[in-house]
């Protein structure tokens, strides 16, 4: 059972020194309890206490990082089965397979596309981060050269795929600084792969057919002192893939089975030849606990929806996503186009902008920062009050971009129209519809 | 039950069963036992017999056992000497009456196939419609389920004149009730009176001329019985289920107009089984105590002008007002509009004139529903730009008089009045402020319409607690003074009542799970001394919200045995929390922030947390944006303690709760508090000072540190030591 | 090393609800575990897909979505028949968008006449979905219920604002109601209680938890569905033990990314595949959260989901 903030606080030195970056021990304890800080930040805590707190607060699923730099992928640290219970922590890494038997030109093309696939959404950059480099040539030297070439060309978190320790060994020589994931230790190669992982301080994947075999291997590796492991249970079909993911997560969380307290790596392409279906299997694995998802193909039409799925599922349900406060232009608005304002809750933004777009009436959409709260909640919390809205209207520069002075406010906030008119004497405040779905009709009858 | 009524009803029932037996014998002789018998186009056979007894009568031979059942139900005639508890046998006699009448009417269909029109409207000269077939049942029954027709009036006989008949019919129609008519009063029938008066009758106008005889009463009762089977899923033969369905859902009553014969009494006794009371215009004995029916059973000698209103009250029918009849637009879009000086036609209150608004509850007979009275000049009698004194007195009455709800209803005046276009309302009670714009007056708006609005909206939104609403609006100074005096008295009494209410005196608390949409396991327990942490719901709000919306987020919790009076734990609340948190939490303290504190949603007005160094508690409100001595700002704290989680050492609290006698009782109460933002302290100054007095620490208010004293524990500790804050010497908080 | 799988003990079961009438009637529900967790429970009845049919010709559809129906787009009866005959639809969902008072504002009579025609032309279960304007839907759905008496339609959305009126006709004329609430488990439960109190039999209630498209708030509905299932299966919340319907096709296909051409969004790959995948992924995710009935548009995304269902439910 995780410790509460107060219980952790009792164990801390209570110096309020602030050296951890947080002003008080209580605040630091709260951050520890909610997983927003790590105990190493406290220079004064005794070893005994450290052990006690670590033990109690260590997440049942090992947190580890694959790769280094911008595209490093953090995995694990999960504490719940369902996102509403708290949140899902670390979205899965999407990996593209490249083989050392591919023509250079093919590899180059795939790499340039990989780099190109980058999408901006709600102020975040969504992109695939991982490359799974697969040895198929049977030639350790060739594979190492291939790995080197890819690393030089592309910043990505790397997975080294080969069943042969000598191949991995060669490849690590050129790549270990990049902290690649070694894939994979099997029952036969556990010791050799384990030693390689230990020497290079790189994470290691475990491949077994079925969970029993996986557990035997992880047990062996744990015995060798390895901690950063990733599991592949080699499911034979989609149904089994789902089952394995659920059983691994649940065993780790509920039963504290330490041999399964790790993130997973999955290969939807092994379960189908149909690329579309592969994408669907991947989407299910995003929802159901996969740590790394290796794809046989990456195109805009499959990567983008998967990134959206990942963004949705891994959004913290208790912390609304927000979009940037600014003037959004929809459909090329002109100086006589309507001006609407709403909150910066991302869902509000998406729905409102979507409705405006589908109305085909160009409009100015003013998004005010409400700390991600929806319109009514923001209003209740004082974050969409007439005075702050007025300040925003004045500073956002909309007055220079339109000739008219008509501002449409959300229907639910009709109550603030009078107050807002007082704050903005030049503007006429119009009360829009309560539901975004009625915006289209509203805009069609709007006139400057 | 009145002996006179019982004796008469039982006599009448005997007569009717005798008649049915005679009719049956004749029919049997003529057609034989295998001849088909029944009402047209229905799958419910003879519906009362089928619904109550579960017996499908489809041929003449099926009738015999039913008649035998009638006989067995019939009690012996009442003799002069015997005194019995008459209710049960009388009701059984009533039941036998309906079975017998269904048989009589069924045989009528055999004897005279064209006696009834068998459709929705009169045909030619024949105005008698007879039993509703299944198509009519389905179409009209839907209206009984969705409330567009709350029920029906089963009228026997006729009023003295066709004008009165038309008036009664119109009034019943206005209440959306169906009017089921049968039987004659001295040779006159109401259906015929209506035709003479030029009123269109038939199912489409809801004026249903079932039949000419009193036996046609069974068409009304059969309709109700079938509705229960068709719409309530009640199985044939489940008589209890059927009768309860009707009592609880079909707002029907019997209205005998004219002298009540023994046979009418028998029918009335039958109707009472269905929970349908009897409202008569003749001086028959009354049966007032409630039992079978929701309220009174028999109410008599009611003047025709009042009979519909009285019937509606006795049956407990809610008035629905679908349209607000005012000359300006009305809706939430106008809530926030301002009336500027240049547009101003009339101004009341706001420090310029005396003004007050008051909602009080009265007894049912003291309020005439819909009565709106203007005392003093209205808008058409004053000049543009005037100022007037103003008082609005709203009197409401409900079956259960609930003074507790007065303030809640009164608080609604603000937004309900504001919804009218061109009207601006600010404040409440005696600090209200009203502005009416020129445009509204031009469109014909008058102050009187404020009464129209309040009458309609109270019925629409608070129908569960208001049955009658009347409104008086005063613009004469002397009258306004009177209302003001009354209001002051009532406000004082209200405040006192709320003050006197404690968690010990009330047995029922209320829950709030409104925030579970984003805080899945959050359960707020609202007690008289602990307002919801959002500050928006106090105990009375919880109670009112439950009465208005019984399946909503505020549910009553019978607190049950007290487990710990200091922590604030009860058996009832713990059981509720377990269920409502969907088994996530087993218990919560109402008065502690350390031991099993309550979950926090996210909407809390303030957060209280411990300051270990000072051995005390600090409270920070949402509006305070600065750093606090615990090392976290409000927003950081809110991020850590919300989401329906329990976070020991941290608690969401409302401002009102801070000054409660139960505030953090387990940690030592208000004297544990060592820091608050100055703005919060100021806001609560009066309350905090009086609590300090109560606690015997008159300077408590002054020794609570605030942001002017420091924003870290280290900064405020010297101050606390200097002033000798009690928390420093209290038992350790951890 | 043998793992003992930690199993959840389920105490509840999703109600089995019969949709439609006759040979092509379908039963949904019956689940006794979280969706597809067949190692610890049953999912005896497979989730079903209803294909969308629109009551007026679509004017702003992505070309790839319109293409399969281009020849029938103006004729709902032909459209429905094509769904069944060409694409093997096991259910049809008639979307009555043209009744929207903010749009074409077609009358209840027209909608009812059309619905009747479609109902007569198809033998598979028929969902009839209003325009999400409670007042208009009341009028339209009442008329439809009356005119299609006894055809066992699924009618919705039935909301807190119109449950009495629509619930009453559903009882009277024997239809199933789709109880629709805005992404909130307690409101969903409350509406089911209200429908029960009104007299709607438990065998004729479906839950619409409100579904958002991928990238457009999908996660809200997803979590509410997971919570509803959890309450139904493990917390004995019997007023939530009803099958869930997700009207997702129209949500997905109205998003910008489902409609953009290659020129408009070169990074987003093949527009045809993208749209299909966005719809199919939305469907896959709501299935994982507990959906029993999906309302979908594109034959290819439907085929993909059927394929996935077969895999996930394989014996």
């Amino acid at each position: 059972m995780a410790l509460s903030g107060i219980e952790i606080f009792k164990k801390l030195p209570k110096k309020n020194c602030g050296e951890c970056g947080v002003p008080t021990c209580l605040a630091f304890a709260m951050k520890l309890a909610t997983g927003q800080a790590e105990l190493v930040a406290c220079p004064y805590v005794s070893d005994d206490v450290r052990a006690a707190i670590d033990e109690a607060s260590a997440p049942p699923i090992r947190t580890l990082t694959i790769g280094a730099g911008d595209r490093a992928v953090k995995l694990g640290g999960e504490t719940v089965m369902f996102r509403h219970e708290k949140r899902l922590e670390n979205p899965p890494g999407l990996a593209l397979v490249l083989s050392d038997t591919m023509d250079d030109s093919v590899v180059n093309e795939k790499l340039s596309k990989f780099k190109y696939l980058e999408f901006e959404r709600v102020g975040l950059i969504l992109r695939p981060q991982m490359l799974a480099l697969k040895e198929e040539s049977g030639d350790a030297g060739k594979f190492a050269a291939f790995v080197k070439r890819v690393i030089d060309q592309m910043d990505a978190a790397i997975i080294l795929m080969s069943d042969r320790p000598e191949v991995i060994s060669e490849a690590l020589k050129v790549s270990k600084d990049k902290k690649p994931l070694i894939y994979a230790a099997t029952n036969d190669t556990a010791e050799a792969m384990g030693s390689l992982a230990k020497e290079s301080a790189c994470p290691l994947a475990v491949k077994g057919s079925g969970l029993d075999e996986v557990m035997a291997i992880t047990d062996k590796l744990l015995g060798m002192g390895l901690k950063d492991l990733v599991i592949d249970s080699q499911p034979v079909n989609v149904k089994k893939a789902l089952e394995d993911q659920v059983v691994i997560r649940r065993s780790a969380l509920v039963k504290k089975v330490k041999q399964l307290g790790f993130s997973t790596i999955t290969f939807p392409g092994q379960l189908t030849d149909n690329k579309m279906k592969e994408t669907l299997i991947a989407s299910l694995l995003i929802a159901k606990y996969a740590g790394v998802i290796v794809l046989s193909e990456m195109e805009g039409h499959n990567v983008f929806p998967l990134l959206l799925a990942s963004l949705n599922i891994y959004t913290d349900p208790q912390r609304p996503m927000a979009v940037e406060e600014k003037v959004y232009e929809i459909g090329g608005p002109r100086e006589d186009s309507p001006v609407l304002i709403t909150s910066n809750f991302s869902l509000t933004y998406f729905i409102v902008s979507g409705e405006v777009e589908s109305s085909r009436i160009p409009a100015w959409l003013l998004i005010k920062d409400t700390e991600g709260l929806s319109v009514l909640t923001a209003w209740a919390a004082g974050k969409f009050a007439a005075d702050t809205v007025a300040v925003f209207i004045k500073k956002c520069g909309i007055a220079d971009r339109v000739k008219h002075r008509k501002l449409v406010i959300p229907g639910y906030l009709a109550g603030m129209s009078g107050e807002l008119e007082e704050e903005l004497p030049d503007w006429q405040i119009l009360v829009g519809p309560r539901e975004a779905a009625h915006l289209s009709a509203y805009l069609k009858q709007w006139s400057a | 039950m009145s002996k006179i009524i019982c004796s008469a009803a039982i006599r009448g029932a005997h007569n009717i069963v005798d008649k049915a037996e005679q009719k049956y014998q004749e029919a049997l002789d003529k057609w034989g036992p295998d001849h088909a018998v029944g009402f047209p186009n229905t799958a419910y056979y003879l519906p009362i017999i089928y619904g109550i007894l579960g017996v499908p009568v489809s041929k003449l031979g099926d009738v015999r056992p039913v008649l035998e059942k009638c006989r067995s139900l019939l009690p012996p005639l009442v003799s002069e000497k015997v005194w019995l508890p008459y209710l049960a046998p009388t009701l059984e006699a009533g039941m036998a009456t309906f079975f017998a009448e269904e048989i009589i009417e069924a045989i009528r269909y055999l004897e005279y196939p064209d006696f009834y029109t068998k459709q929705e409207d009169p045909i030619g000269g024949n105005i008698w419609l007879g039993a509703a077939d299944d198509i009519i049942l389905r179409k009209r029954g839907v209206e009984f389920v969705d409330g567009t027709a709350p029920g029906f009036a089963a009228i026997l006989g006729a009023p003295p004149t066709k004008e009165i008949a038309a008036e009664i019919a119109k009034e019943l129609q206005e209440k959306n009730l169906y009017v089921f008519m049968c039987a004659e009063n001295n040779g006159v029938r109401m259906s015929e009176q209506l035709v003479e008066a030029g009123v269109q009758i038939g199912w489409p106008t809801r004026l249903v001329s079932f039949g000419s005889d009193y036996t046609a009463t069974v068409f009304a009762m059969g309709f109700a019985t079938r509705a229960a089977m068709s719409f309530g899923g009640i199985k044939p033969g489940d008589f209890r289920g059927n009768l309860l369905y009707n009592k609880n859902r079909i707002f029907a009553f019997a209205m005998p107009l004219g002298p009540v014969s023994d046979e009418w009494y028998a029918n009335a006794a039958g109707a009472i089984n269905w929970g349908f009371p009897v409202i008569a215009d003749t001086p028959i004995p009354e049966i007032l105590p409630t039992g079978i029916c929701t309220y009174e059973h028999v109410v008599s000698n009611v003047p025709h002008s009042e009979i519909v209103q009285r019937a509606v009250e006795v049956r407990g029918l809610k008035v629905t007002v679908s349209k607000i009849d005012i000359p300006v637009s009305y809706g939430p879009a106008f809530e926030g509009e301002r009336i500027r000086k240049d547009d101003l036609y009339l101004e009341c209150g706001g420090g310029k004139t005396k003004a007050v608004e008051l909602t009080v509850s009265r007894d049912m007979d003291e309020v005439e529903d819909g009565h709106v009275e203007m005392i003093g000049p209205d808008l058409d009698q004053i000049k543009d730009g005037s100022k007037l004194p103003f008082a609005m007195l709203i009197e409401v009455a409900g079956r259960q008089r609930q003074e507790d709800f007065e303030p809640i209803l009164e608080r609604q005046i603000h937004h309900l009045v504001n919804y009218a276009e061109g009207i601006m309302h600010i404040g409440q009670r005696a600090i209200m402020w009203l502005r009416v714009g020129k445009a509204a007056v031009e469109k014909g708006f008058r102050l009187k319409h404020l009464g129209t609005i309040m009458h309609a909206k109270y019925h629409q939104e608070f129908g569960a607690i208001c049955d009658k609403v009347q409104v008086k609006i005063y613009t004469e100074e002397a009258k306004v003074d009177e209302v003001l005096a009354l209001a002051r008295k009532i406000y004082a009494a209200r405040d006192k009542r709320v003050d006197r209410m404690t968690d010990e005196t009330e047995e029922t608390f209320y829950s709030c799970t409104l925030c579970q949409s984003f805080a899945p396991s959050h359960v707020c327990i609202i007690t008289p001394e602990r307002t919801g942490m959002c500050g928006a719901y106090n105990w009375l709000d919880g109670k009112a919200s439950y009465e208005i919306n019984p399946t909503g987020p505020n549910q009553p919790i019978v607190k049950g045995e007290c487990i710990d009076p200091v922590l604030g734990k009860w058996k009832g609340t713990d059981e509720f929390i377990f269920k409502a948190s969907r088994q996530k939490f087993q218990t919560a303290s109402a008065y502690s922030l350390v031991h099993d504190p309550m979950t926090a949603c996210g909407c809390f007005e303030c957060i209280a947390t411990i300051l270990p160094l000072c051995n005390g508690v600090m409270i920070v409100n949402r509006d305070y944006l600065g750093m606090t001595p615990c090392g976290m700002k409000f927003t950081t704290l809110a991020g850590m303690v919300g989401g329906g989680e329990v976070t020991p050492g941290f608690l969401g609290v409302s401002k009102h709760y801070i000054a409660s006698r139960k505030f953090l009782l387990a940690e030592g109460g208000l004297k544990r508090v060592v820091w608050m933002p100055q703005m919060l302290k100021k806001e609560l100054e009066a309350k905090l000072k009086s609590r300090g007095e109560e606690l015997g620490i008159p300077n408590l208010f002054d020794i609570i540190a605030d942001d002017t004293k420091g924003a870290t524990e280290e900064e405020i500790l010297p101050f606390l030591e200097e002033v000798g804050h009690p928390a420093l010497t209290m038992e350790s908080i951890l | 090393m043998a793992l003992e799988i930690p199993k959840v003990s389920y105490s509840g079961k999703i109600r089995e609800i019969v949709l439609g009438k006759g040979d092509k009637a379908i039963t949904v529900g019956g689940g006794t575990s979280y969706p597809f967790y067949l190692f610890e429970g049953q999912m005896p009845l497979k989730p079903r897909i209803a294909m969308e049919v629109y009551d007026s010709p679509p004017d702003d559809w992505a070309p790839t979505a319109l293409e399969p129906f281009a020849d029938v787009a103006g004729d709902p009866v032909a459209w429905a028949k094509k769904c069944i005959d060409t694409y093997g639809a096991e259910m049809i969902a008639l979307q009555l968008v043209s009744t929207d008072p903010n749009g074409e504002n077609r009358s209840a009579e027209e909608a009812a006449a059309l619905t009747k025609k479609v109902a007569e032309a198809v033998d598979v279960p028929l969902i009839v979905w209003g325009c999400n304007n409670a007042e208009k839907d009341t009028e339209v759905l009442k008329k439809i219920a009356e005119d299609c008496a006894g055809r066992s339609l699924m009618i919705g959305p039935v909301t807190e604002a119109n449950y009495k009126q629509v619930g009453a006709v559903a009882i009277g004329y024997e239809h199933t109601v789709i109880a629709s609430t805005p992404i909130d488990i307690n409101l969903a439960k409350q509406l089911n209680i209200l429908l029960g109190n009104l007299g709607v039999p438990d065998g004729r209630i479906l839950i619409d938890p409100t579904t958002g498209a991928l990238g457009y708030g999908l996660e809200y509905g997803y979590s509410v569905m997971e919570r509803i299932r959890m309450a139904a299966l493990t917390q004995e919340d019997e007023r939530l033990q009803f099958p869930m319907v997700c009207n997702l096709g129209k949500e997905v296909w109205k998003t910008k990314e489902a409609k953009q051409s290659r020129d408009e969004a070169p990074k987003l790959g093949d527009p045809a595949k993208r749209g299909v995948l966005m719809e199919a992924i939305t469907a896959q995710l709501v299935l994982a959260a507990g959906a029993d009935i999906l309302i979908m548009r594109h034959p290819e995304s439907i085929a993909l989901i059927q394929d996935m269902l077969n895999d996930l439910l394989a014996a």
Side-chain angles (χ1 to χ4, degrees), chain C residues 15-55:
Chain C
R15 278 177 193 285
E16 294 187 8
I17 307 281
V18 180
L19 312 174
K21 262 189 152 168
D23 291 350
K24 296 284 176 68
I26 284 175
T27 309
V28 291
T32 59
S33 68
Y34 294 138
F36 312 109
Y37 287 22
L38 300 184
F39 55 94
E40 59 185 13
Q42 277 92 50
M43 207 166 161
L45 301 163
K46 127 178 148 156
R48 299 292 188 148
I49 302 170
M51 282 187 84
E52 288 186 315
V53 169
Y54 280 78
D55 63 343

Side-chain angles (χ1 to χ4, degrees), chain C residues 185-314:
Chain C
I185 182 171
N186 289 324
L187 293 180
K189 179 174 173 176
Q190 188 184 355
L191 184 55
N192 292 345
I193 293 173
L194 293 171
L195 286 166
N197 290 350
L198 189 74
V200 178
D202 286 346
R204 287 203 252 137
I205 296 175
L206 299 169
I207 298 175
D208 162 29
T210 304
T211 307
L214 180 68
Y216 289 82
L218 169 79
E219 69 272 28
Y220 295 89
Y222 177 88
S223 279
V224 164
M225 290 172 74
E226 286 195 328
R227 286 172 66 191
I228 288 176
R229 264 305 128 91
M230 194 181 253
L233 294 173
T234 69
Q235 293 152 0
E236 288 139 42
D237 205 332
E238 60 103 14
R239 292 319 290 172
L240 289 171
Q241 291 169 340
F242 298 93
M244 290 190 276
V245 188
C246 293
N247 192 356
L248 62 99
K250 64 176 183 181
E251 295 300 323
V252 173
W253 288 101
K254 81 174 178 204
T255 66
K256 181 168 73 184
E257 292 84 355
K259 287 190 202 171
Q260 280 172 324
S261 68
R262 201 184 277 274
D263 289 344
E264 287 167 324
K267 277 193 180 186
L268 297 183
D270 180 343
K273 288 182 178 165
R274 184 205 318 140
V276 165
L277 281 173
M278 285 185 71
E279 182 177 30
I281 289 176
T282 305
Q284 182 59 61
L285 292 176
V286 295
L287 280 172
D292 298 276
I293 300 168
L294 307 171
I295 300 178
M296 296 178 66
R297 180 169 300 175
H298 203 288
E300 280 176 46
S301 42
I302 292 169
L304 280 168
I305 290 296
Q306 294 288 16
D307 193 2
M308 284 296 285
L309 283 173
N310 288 337
D311 281 10
L312 285 165
L313 295 171

Side-chain angles (χ1 to χ4, degrees), chain B residues 658-710:
Chain B
I658 297 171
S660 159
R661 291 182 188 95
K662 295 295 193 309
F663 177 69
L664 301 188
L665 200 58
E667 282 77 39
L670 192 63
K671 51 183 196 285
R672 261 300 177 184
V673 177
V674 296
W675 190 90
M676 281 189 220
Q678 196 181 31
M679 64 194 290
L680 180 61
K681 244 177 102 174
K682 282 222 166 116
E683 191 180 337
L684 298 174
E685 182 167 350
K687 287 179 184 170
L688 293 177
K689 283 188 167 160
S690 87
R691 274 296 290 149
E693 300 271 346
E694 252 181 32
L695 290 166
I697 315 171
N699 67 337
L700 185 60
F701 178 81
D702 303 312
I703 62 174
I704 297 174
D706 57 36
D707 45 310
T708 63
K709 300 284 185 299

Side-chain angles (χ1 to χ4, degrees), chain A residues 4 6 9-10 16 23-24 26-27 30-31 34 36 84-85 318 371 381 414-415 417-419 421-422 431 434, chain B residues 332-333 335-338 340 520 584 609-610 612 622 627 629-632 640 643 645 647-650 713-714 734:
Chain A
S4 75
I6 289 290
F9 170 76
K10 286 181 188 168
N16 287 358
T24 64
L26 180 64
M30 288 307 292
K31 282 191 169 260
T34 50
Q36 296 170 39
H84 71 260
E85 292 173 327
Q318 289 164 22
E371 294 171 20
S417 63
E419 220 180 315
E421 273 187 9
E422 274 164 24
V431 178
R434 288 186 159 208
Chain B
E335 192 186 353
E337 61 173 345
R338 293 287 164 101
R340 278 160 228 292
K584 186 156 177 188
T609 185
I610 51 171
R622 190 173 282 275
M627 181 48 83
C630 75
M632 293 174 267
M640 298 213 163
E645 294 297 321
T647 318
F650 298 84
E713 280 202 82
E714 289 77 4
L734 280 176

Side-chain angles (χ1 to χ4, degrees), chain B residues 106-229:
Chain B
I107 291 170
R108 193 198 302 273
Y109 273 99
L110 279 184
E111 289 177 333
Y112 308 99
D114 296 326
F115 190 88
Y116 294 117
T117 68
K118 291 176 278 188
Q119 53 174 325
E120 282 208 330
D121 298 290
I123 303 177
N126 186 3
I127 61 168
W128 306 121
L129 307 179
D133 64 20
D134 282 359
I135 294 171
I136 297 175
L137 169 77
R138 205 138 68 154
K139 187 164 163 194
R140 306 292 166 178
V142 163
E143 299 175 351
F144 285 78
V145 179
D146 73 16
T148 41
F152 62 81
I155 294 182
L156 288 88
T161 67
K162 63 175 195 276
E163 288 77 19
I164 295 173
E167 195 50 44
I168 289 174
K170 184 166 151 257
E171 264 191 80
L172 288 165
Q173 278 176 312
E174 280 168 0
K175 309 274 183 216
N176 302 317
L177 293 162
Y178 275 88
V179 184
F180 293 161
M181 297 169 287
C182 67
E184 46 135 356
N185 169 13
N186 223 353
V188 183
R189 296 176 178 88
M190 178 148 158
S191 307
E192 293 162 344
Q193 286 177 314
L194 292 178
V195 173
E196 274 176 50
V199 177
Q200 196 189 340
I201 62 170
W203 280 97
T205 56
R206 299 193 174 177
L207 303 174
V208 182
S209 42
F210 266 136
S212 51
D213 284 355
Y214 63 80
T215 48
T217 307
V218 291
F219 295 145
M221 301 309 295
F223 184 87
T225 309
R226 283 151 76 194
M229 287 188 279

Side-chain angles (χ1 to χ4, degrees), chain A residues 118-241:
Chain A
E118 194 172 281
F119 312 94
E120 208 240 297
R121 200 168 179 90
V122 282
L124 300 171
I125 300 292
L126 308 181
R127 62 185 182 191
Q129 297 134 301
M130 309 185 81
L131 292 170
L133 307 182
K134 194 171 184 182
E135 173 264 314
E136 288 179 318
S137 63
D139 179 339
K142 185 174 180 194
F143 182 61
F146 169 66
V147 170
K148 172 112 181 40
R149 191 163 67 78
V150 171
I151 289 174
D152 289 347
Q153 227 174 313
M154 182 72 217
D155 175 28
I158 300 294
I159 305 169
L160 300 176
M161 295 180 68
S162 174
D163 287 345
R164 295 161 54 206
E166 61 276 21
V167 172
I168 295 292
S169 173
E170 278 304 303
L172 279 172
K173 284 180 191 157
V174 298
S175 65
K176 69 175 180 227
D177 293 348
K178 299 281 182 192
K179 293 279 169 256
L181 171 67
I182 301 167
Y183 180 93
T186 60
N187 213 3
D188 299 333
T189 62
E191 268 169 47
M193 290 289 196
S195 305
L196 285 171
K198 211 169 174 180
E199 282 159 28
S200 60
C202 289
L204 174 62
V206 169
K207 180 164 82 172
S209 44
L211 294 179
D212 290 345
E213 192 178 306
V214 164
M215 285 171 69
I217 306 170
T218 55
D219 202 52
K220 208 181 290 179
L221 294 168
L222 282 168
M224 289 171 66
L226 285 148
K227 283 181 177 163
D228 289 342
L229 303 178
V230 173
I231 292 173
D232 172 16
S233 64
Q234 289 283 299
V236 292
N237 56 39
V238 180
K239 181 179 161 187
K240 186 69 180 153

